[in-house]
Amino acid sequence: MVFLNDLNPREVPRILSIAGTDPTGGAGIQADLKSIAALGGYGMAVVTSLVAQNTRGVRSVHTPPPTFLGEQLDAVSDDVTIDAVKIGMLGDVATITVVREWLGRAQPPLVVLDPVMVATSGDRLLAADAETALRELVGQAHLVTPNLPELAVLVGGPITAQWPVALDQARELSTTSGTVVLVKGGHLDAEGSPDALVDTSGRLGSTHDGEVFEIITPRVDTRNSHGTGCSLSSAIATVMARTGDWTRALSDTKNWLQDALTHADELQVGQGNGPINHFHQLWAEAETHPSRHDSRMD
């Protein structure tokens, strides 16, 4: 079981993203850095893979040597106090091993793992040995944020389209791993879009059943949702590092993400599935209260 004994919330937390790239800026470390900034953190990034992609799909992936990944991680942690780590796509066993070993040395106070294993379509993204290594990494995280196919893989069960079954699978994963689980229901065929924090060890505070804190927001009709999972996990890491409160972290993140999805079409980026509008709330606030933002430049 992983506890947040060393978490010291601060106004501008220093958040490290460990993930791949997206040249069009909608996913990966580019989305992570935008999300971290939008939610009030200072973002840093270590690259696990260089991805040639755009809003219409991935063309190729280049993975730097594992030794270079380790050098990047050590370079950051040797110099900067890290308040939280968000981990995205890792790709292979060698990469996962380097990250696991670094986590053991650096002992960051908050680790959020987005276990990129299965696409929404159900296609597996990792080889079997890498899936096993990633399951082991779950136990080193404070929060894991799987989509429904990934949740099924992590518990060794069927992919479900039923929200109550997904919550039960999350309870199982929380019990076996000792980790808080964020269940994401964005791809369910339902009118609303539910997300829930699930923890069987009582770390969520006062919730309606002691194990689940759930928020349902209206579903946004947009195809521009590229990088939503990356953005959500890095955003909740940032709010948690700022507040130390799991339920507030989900509430603030959901509020921000709902706005970013609602205004995603305004960006007009790419011809495929474009990005969410990470900074819409900040831009809207600047237009409504320009004096607040002007004063910060003095």
Side-chain angles (χ1 to χ4, degrees):
M1 184 179 299
V2 183
F3 293 98
L4 293 168
N5 296 331
D6 298 322
L7 183 64
N8 182 25
R10 51 182 281 131
E11 185 176 354
V12 183
R14 296 148 294 193
I15 315 296
L16 174 63
S17 164
I18 305 172
T21 65
D22 177 2
T24 59
I29 59 172
Q30 284 88 342
D32 289 343
L33 292 173
K34 292 174 185 176
S35 304
I36 292 164
L39 274 298
Y42 176 80
M44 303 171 284
V46 163
V47 178
T48 59
S49 58
L50 302 166
V51 185
Q53 67 171 307
N54 56 30
T55 63
R56 293 181 290 184
V58 174
R59 298 186 178 186
S60 64
V61 178
H62 171 69
T63 301
T67 53
F68 181 67
L69 172 60
E71 289 171 359
Q72 290 184 81
L73 291 166
D74 288 337
V76 176
S77 59
D78 286 350
D79 180 42
V80 180
T81 299
I82 299 169
D83 298 301
V85 172
K86 177 271 169 92
I87 302 172
M89 188 171 184
L90 298 176
D92 56 29
V93 173
T95 300
I96 296 169
T97 299
V98 170
V99 171
R100 287 194 66 188
E101 292 175 350
W102 175 80
L103 288 174
R105 296 194 304 274
Q107 293 292 310
L110 174 62
V111 178
V112 174
L113 172 63
D114 184 12
V116 182
M117 306 172 74
V118 187
T120 303
S121 62
D123 294 331
R124 303 290 269 263
L125 302 176
L126 292 178
D129 57 348
E131 285 186 358
T132 299
L134 195 58
R135 284 194 195 95
E136 295 171 353
L137 185 62
V138 170
Q140 290 182 262
H142 300 91
L143 175 70
V144 60
T145 65
N147 62 27
L148 296 184
E150 289 160 349
L151 179 59
V153 171
L154 290 173
V155 299
I159 299 174
T160 182
Q162 303 298 318
W163 186 240
V165 176
L167 293 177
D168 286 341
Q169 289 182 334
R171 288 186 180 94
E172 179 182 349
L173 179 59
S174 179
T175 299
T176 58
S177 67
T179 301
V180 181
V181 180
L182 175 61
V183 193
K184 300 180 292 187
H187 296 288
L188 291 174
D189 185 16
E191 183 176 343
S193 178
D195 289 294
L197 289 168
V198 177
D199 176 56
T200 56
S201 299
R203 288 165 291 192
L204 300 183
S206 178
T207 63
H208 70 275
D209 70 354
E211 293 182 349
V212 178
F213 176 73
E214 180 178 334
I215 298 178
I216 302 175
T217 52
R219 190 170 298 277
V220 178
D221 183 16
T222 179
R223 71 174 184 176
N224 295 316
S225 59
H226 180 54
T228 302
C230 305
S231 301
L232 184 152
S233 56
S234 52
I236 200 169
T238 304
V239 181
M240 184 62 185
R242 276 182 39 237
T243 67
D245 185 327
W246 282 122
T247 58
R248 180 177 172 186
L250 180 59
S251 299
D252 287 4
T253 296
K254 284 280 283 184
N255 174 67
W256 165 78
L257 186 59
Q258 185 75 8
D259 180 86
L261 284 165
T262 299
H263 297 278
D265 295 354
E266 298 170 12
L267 291 178
Q268 299 182 16
V269 174
Q271 302 173 52
N273 297 313
I276 66 174
N277 197 335
H278 293 85
F279 294 117
H280 179 266
Q281 279 190 340
L282 292 177
W283 294 337
E285 181 186 350
E287 291 180 359
T288 305
H289 304 287
S291 61
R292 295 180 185 174
H293 295 263
D294 292 343
S295 65
R296 295 174 190 171
M297 301 299 292
D298 295 339

